[in-house]
Amino acid sequence: MKYALCQLVRLVDMNDEILKEHIFDHGDVETPQPVIGATVVTYQLGLKEFEVVYDRREGKTSRSKIIDMEINLLGDANVTRVFLEPVKLIVGQHDVGMV
């Protein structure tokens, strides 16, 4: 079955004030049914200006737990959204630069 991996990303300033919340789509994967509490290894997330991107520099991996699964009976029944634990990115500290 196909699963869409998603993650809530909060962009904050240096004073921890939320500037923007964004659902980052890691893409679709075909795998046996994931379990809440399982760990997913991906690239770390970073910022290129205010856009959330993968930080593909060497050694920049991240482990996130699955916290929720959403089955939308109103839409495409073949895709289930799997949510990873949220991350917080600080503008100015999580800049990836020109990768």
Side-chain angles (χ1 to χ4, degrees):
M1 188 168 187
K2 190 188 294 188
Y3 298 95
L5 288 177
C6 303
Q7 190 166 26
L8 177 67
V9 179
R10 288 187 181 96
L11 302 180
V12 299
D13 62 12
M14 298 290 189
N15 296 321
D16 207 28
E17 302 261 342
I18 296 175
L19 301 173
K20 180 180 173 183
E21 287 187 335
H22 173 72
I23 302 255
F24 184 79
D25 182 15
H26 287 278
D28 295 342
V29 294
E30 296 240 2
T31 183
Q33 182 171 358
V35 179
I36 292 176
T39 301
V40 176
V41 178
T42 63
Y43 287 107
Q44 277 184 0
L45 298 180
L47 295 170
K48 194 182 280 189
E49 296 180 8
F50 283 96
E51 181 183 354
V52 179
V53 296
Y54 282 124
D55 187 349
R56 296 183 188 265
R57 295 178 287 185
E58 183 143 352
K60 298 288 185 173
T61 59
S62 176
R63 298 170 54 94
S64 301
K65 290 199 181 289
I66 296 173
I67 60 167
D68 195 14
M69 292 175 35
E70 174 185 273
I71 300 169
N72 185 353
L73 297 178
L74 303 176
D76 185 3
N78 294 327
V79 177
T80 300
R81 291 188 356 160
V82 175
F83 287 92
L84 304 177
E85 51 193 1
V87 295
K88 178 174 26 172
L89 298 178
I90 302 170
V91 174
Q93 289 188 359
H94 288 98
D95 291 327
V96 174
M98 303 306 287
V99 176

